[in-house]
Structures are given as C-alpha cells and as structure tokens.
Amino acid sequence: MGLDLFPLTKPKSRNTQIRFVNARRQHKCGQAHTTKPNMNFSISLLLHFLLLVSLVCHVYSSETSGQNQAFLPEEEFHKLKRTIRIHLQKINKPYVKTIQSPDGDIIDCIVSHKQPAFDHPRLKGQKPLDPPERPKSHGRMNILNDNFQLWILSGESCSEGTVPIRRIKEEDMLRAYSINTFGRKLKRVRRDTIGNDGHEYAIGYVSGDEYYGAKASINVWNPQLESPDEFSLSQIWITTGSFEKDLNTIEAGWQVSPELYGDSYPRFFTYWTSDDYQGTGCYNLLCSGFVQTSSKIAIGAAISPTSTYNGGQFDISLMIWKDPKNGNWWLEYGSNGEIIGYWPSSLFTQLKDHATMVQFGGEIVNSMSTGAHTSTQMGSGHFADEGFAKASYFRNMQVVDSDNSLIPLQNLKVLANSPNCYNIQEGTNNGWGNYFYYGGPGRNVNCP
C-alpha cells in the first residue's frame, strides 16, 4: 500500500512556506552543497505530515506526575504502588545475572527465550531466530573508537544465550502519565496559539519507491534540555501506511529524555507501531514485540563516549533491513556490526511488505512552557553551517533495495520546519557519501 499520508490542505504553521537555510569522525568532510529553496507541493505536504505525526508523541511530565502523586490519598497511593509492582513483574523478567552500571542503571541478563518479546500473543512459544544474510555491499569497518555503552565500563558482561535488558524501576513508572501507557507514544491533540503542536524537525528523506531498509552513521551528542518534559533525539524512521489509520513505523537512534529514563544521558533506543500509535508498540523492550538476540548491547542504555564541540567526534552506525526469506526487520548497531535483534513481520500490517518512505534526522519537543521558544538543543546545539566538529551530522546514508542491496540515496530532500531555531544542509562526497549537518540551539535572537 502506498504512503497515503498527506491531506490536500496547507500545513498549519507560523509560516505558509518552508524556508531552507543555506548552511552545513574522524575524516574531514568536504564542502557541503547548498540546497536551493524548494517550495514544491510534496515538501509542503510532508511538513504537514510531520506536524500531524507529532500529535502522536506524548510528552511525559515528571513534575506533574510527581505533584499528582503527592496529593493522592494514602490508600490510593499504596494501591498505585501495588499496581506498579505487579506491572514491573511483567516487564522485569527473572535474571541469571545482574550488572550495576556506573550511571545507576541495573542491567539484567535474561535467558533469551524468556525475554518480554515472547509475551506477545503472536510470539508465544517461539525462540530467537538466527540472523539472516546482511544486505549486499555491506562492509564492516574495524574502527577502534566505535561507540559503546556505559554499563560495559563495569567490566561485567552477559553470557551467550542471555540478553542484557535495562531494569525498569518504580520511579521510572511514577514519572509516567499512566501505567497502561508507560513506554508508549500517545495520541494527543495539543496546539499552542500559533497552531504548532510543539514538535520540530530537521530531516532528510526519500520517498516514492519501495524500501527494504536503511543505514546511516549518526553523530552522538549530549544536547541540553530546557525542561524535563521535553526531549531531543536523532534517528532513522522506516514508514508506510496511512496516518489516522494504519501507519506502520520502525524507529531507531539515540535520544535524551528525562521523562522516560530519569536522566539526561543520550541513550540508544528503538520504537515501533503498526496502528498509527493507537495501541501497538513501545519504546525499547517496554512491551512485547522486538526480539533481542545480542548479548552485548542493551537497548535503552546510555551511550559513551559522546562528541564535544571542536573536539573528538563519535557516531553510531545503525542499519535496519528486511530479511528477504521470512520478512522480519533486523537491526544492527555499531561499526563492527553487532546484530541486536528483530521486529517480527507478524507485528505489522503494511510493513509486512516494504516501506514507502525513509527519514533521517533530528526532532525536539518545544513545550512553550515559558511563553518563549525552548532553548532545548537539537544535535550538538549548533547550526548546520558551523560544519564538522561543531554541528551534528548523519553520514553514509543508504537504503536497501528489493535485491537486498545497499544503495546510495536517490533524490534526497531536506527540510526544517523551524529553520531559525534548527536547520539542515546536505551534501555528497567520496568519504561520507550522502550526508547532512543539522541542528541548532533553539531560542536565539532569530528564534525568540
């Protein structure tokens, strides 16, 4: 089914058009190409799609939930705590080993066939599958400074046959809007006075073809957030289906989200839905569905090291691809090619076949809590035109075709829906292939 997501109306934003701003590892990037303004109909419609999709992204408020709990009658509060404990028993499976991470996380080593995925009605009784053949032209690079995770600094590890899973604590759930929606994006209609739902993007995308996966190296930073009920992320989106009906998405990248994790570390995350975020899917392993196979990487764990302004640059390589034989969507993390696991084909409706759009880029939430634009940063917190070691980047972006081959992007388009706050500039060179710089500081003299 095609990506029928764009109603024939103009986007509701403070500008009636999208303005593109000419601006934006270890290898020096060549001169970026500037992008001329492109006001064609499809771009305007895509912006409308992004603004609509952001309605599904519920923003958890720890301050509000904490206040609500503080005023609960004692009997109701204890009842809530009992309900949380029951829910935690479903999420946190019995472990054979536990590891204390330097950042405060607890990592449990769970026998692989007892992980949360197999609570799903369509997966009960199954065991993890062996990884399929990787896409053609997929070369693994032996890069010594490839990103790893903070919990590994403990010196402990999970043995083969087990998977490392970040333990969910009571305080994590107390920050949530509700127990039933913990770890999920919620549909919510909330508009501020300018008709903007608060989600802002700087992305590159391809559409109009059949896509069976994507790959990119994503520069990792530690953006600062103005408020704990906001987030900043950088990710790959694999999408198809119809908005308000059967939108299917697979998402992976890094995010800073105090509401979800209780701190401001950048963390490796995943997400999926098969019904436009209405009832299916969740972040990471907070519901049944995604099957983890790796004993080395914990989804939801903090990434270390991160990039510094005018200093060392670090990125994570992510690849998502569809197994041509059984249709499952697999995820690989890191330059050394650690296969994390897969989203079973049975979870999806439209993604049982292929995707019709692939997006790469950054997203933030602007809560407008102070009446001014948020100072929450996207990427490095610097604009695209500052370039390497200053602005954040995506590089070596590729898609997987119907022949299970990685190929360069065709007709990459870029957009930023608040270019005075966060912008994007794309380019191509021999070392980085298709790439772009993106991001920004949020509130500034041109973004009050």
Side-chain angles (χ1 to χ4, degrees):
M1 181 174 180
L3 188 64
D4 183 17
L5 299 176
F6 309 121
L8 298 179
T9 57
K10 293 183 179 180
K12 296 180 180 179
S13 63
R14 71 180 71 188
N15 297 318
T16 58
Q17 295 179 324
I18 303 171
R19 276 201 308 119
F20 291 92
V21 178
N22 290 335
R24 349 229 280 228
R25 212 144 179 127
Q26 264 60 354
H27 301 292
K28 181 79 173 179
C29 177
Q31 179 63 40
H33 301 309
T34 58
T35 304
K36 296 180 179 179
N38 183 352
M39 310 315 303
N40 62 49
F41 188 55
S42 63
I43 296 293
S44 295
L45 291 177
L46 179 63
L47 175 58
H48 188 59
F49 162 62
L50 288 172
L51 293 178
L52 285 173
V53 166
S54 62
L55 292 178
V56 305
C57 301
H58 175 72
V59 182
Y60 295 100
S61 173
S62 58
E63 294 179 354
T64 301
S65 60
Q67 292 168 359
N68 289 341
Q69 293 149 19
F71 290 105
L72 281 175
E74 183 175 358
E75 182 178 347
E76 291 188 25
F77 183 69
H78 286 302
K79 182 179 179 181
L80 172 64
K81 301 264 280 189
R82 286 194 299 270
T83 305
I84 287 176
R85 284 196 293 269
I86 293 171
H87 194 76
L88 288 175
Q89 290 175 356
K90 296 179 181 178
I91 297 176
N92 296 322
K93 300 299 183 180
Y95 53 85
V96 297
K97 180 180 180 180
T98 186
I99 300 170
Q100 183 71 49
S101 174
D103 64 335
D105 279 357
I106 297 175
I107 305 298
D108 292 326
C109 301
I110 311 295
V111 175
S112 60
H113 68 271
K114 295 182 179 181
Q115 62 181 287
F118 300 114
D119 290 340
H120 195 285
R122 297 179 181 174
L123 304 177
K124 281 188 178 296
Q126 297 184 22
K127 293 185 178 181
L129 300 176
D130 293 330
E133 180 181 352
R134 290 178 170 90
K136 303 177 185 68
S137 303
H138 173 61
R140 285 183 281 175
M141 301 173 291
N142 292 318
I143 299 176
L144 295 178
N145 58 4
D146 187 32
N147 275 32
F148 58 101
Q149 299 183 307
L150 278 174
W151 71 275
I152 297 175
L153 296 177
S154 67
E156 300 288 336
S157 62
C158 291
S159 61
E160 291 295 326
T162 68
V163 293
I165 298 180
R166 179 179 180 267
R167 185 185 299 179
I168 304 304
K169 304 173 184 176
E170 185 177 282
E171 53 264 37
D172 294 325
M173 299 199 68
L174 288 173
R175 290 191 302 271
Y177 180 80
S178 74
I179 293 174
N180 291 334
T181 58
F182 175 65
R184 292 183 174 178
K185 298 180 180 180
L186 297 181
K187 282 207 160 213
R188 179 181 69 158
V189 177
R190 183 195 67 79
R191 299 250 178 197
D192 60 33
T193 55
I194 61 172
N196 190 333
D197 69 353
H199 290 245
E200 299 177 17
Y201 304 84
I203 68 162
Y205 70 96
V206 291
S207 60
D209 206 341
E210 296 182 358
Y211 305 103
Y212 296 83
K215 182 181 180 181
S217 292
I218 310 175
N219 198 198
V220 181
W221 293 77
N222 191 359
Q224 301 301 300
L225 276 58
E226 179 173 302
S227 170
D229 64 358
E230 298 179 341
F231 67 70
S232 183
L233 62 79
S234 297
Q235 69 172 49
I236 300 172
W237 291 263
I238 308 287
T239 71
T240 194
S242 302
F243 184 76
E244 295 289 357
K245 184 180 178 183
D246 57 4
L247 181 71
N248 285 211
T249 73
I250 287 174
E251 306 167 25
W254 61 264
Q255 67 179 161
V256 174
S257 177
E259 293 289 356
L260 187 58
Y261 302 105
D263 58 37
S264 295
Y265 290 110
R267 292 173 174 272
F268 170 49
F269 83 97
T270 63
Y271 199 93
W272 69 274
T273 181
S274 63
D275 63 354
D276 189 34
Y277 303 90
Q278 296 179 66
T280 61
C282 61
Y283 281 107
N284 307 329
L285 304 178
L286 298 179
C287 66
S288 57
F290 183 87
V291 179
Q292 181 159 338
T293 59
S294 172
S295 62
K296 299 178 181 178
I297 298 294
I299 301 173
I303 299 172
S304 177
T306 59
S307 301
T308 57
Y309 188 80
N310 255 343
Q313 299 301 297
F314 302 94
D315 55 37
I316 56 173
S317 177
L318 294 179
M319 181 171 66
I320 301 167
W321 81 101
K322 188 177 181 65
D323 179 3
K325 293 183 178 179
N326 58 30
N328 299 326
W329 292 85
W330 286 79
L331 173 65
E332 180 184 275
Y333 175 101
S335 299
N336 290 320
E338 178 68 17
I339 294 180
I340 305 303
Y342 59 95
W343 293 270
S345 177
S346 60
L347 297 177
F348 300 104
T349 55
Q350 305 306 311
L351 281 175
K352 282 181 176 294
D353 190 7
H354 60 267
T356 54
M357 180 179 287
V358 176
Q359 302 169 36
F360 309 84
E363 176 188 355
I364 65 95
V365 166
N366 174 20
S367 67
M368 300 288 288
S369 58
T370 64
H373 194 283
T374 183
S375 61
T376 285
Q377 300 173 339
M378 180 189 293
S380 69
H382 292 264
F383 285 117
D385 58 344
E386 293 194 44
F388 184 73
K390 298 177 181 178
S392 188
Y393 61 79
F394 275 66
R395 65 179 178 89
N396 297 115
M397 294 179 290
Q398 299 171 285
V399 293
V400 180
D401 66 10
S402 59
D403 191 40
N404 198 35
S405 296
L406 278 164
I407 60 173
L409 304 184
Q410 300 295 322
N411 301 316
L412 173 68
K413 298 178 176 64
V414 296
L415 69 85
N417 63 341
S418 298
N420 289 333
C421 311
Y422 315 98
N423 66 5
I424 184 168
Q425 178 183 339
E426 56 91 17
T428 306
N429 65 27
N430 291 334
W432 279 19
N434 290 114
Y435 71 89
F436 59 73
Y437 289 104
Y438 72 102
R443 185 168 63 243
N444 63 79
V445 293
N446 296 315
C447 174

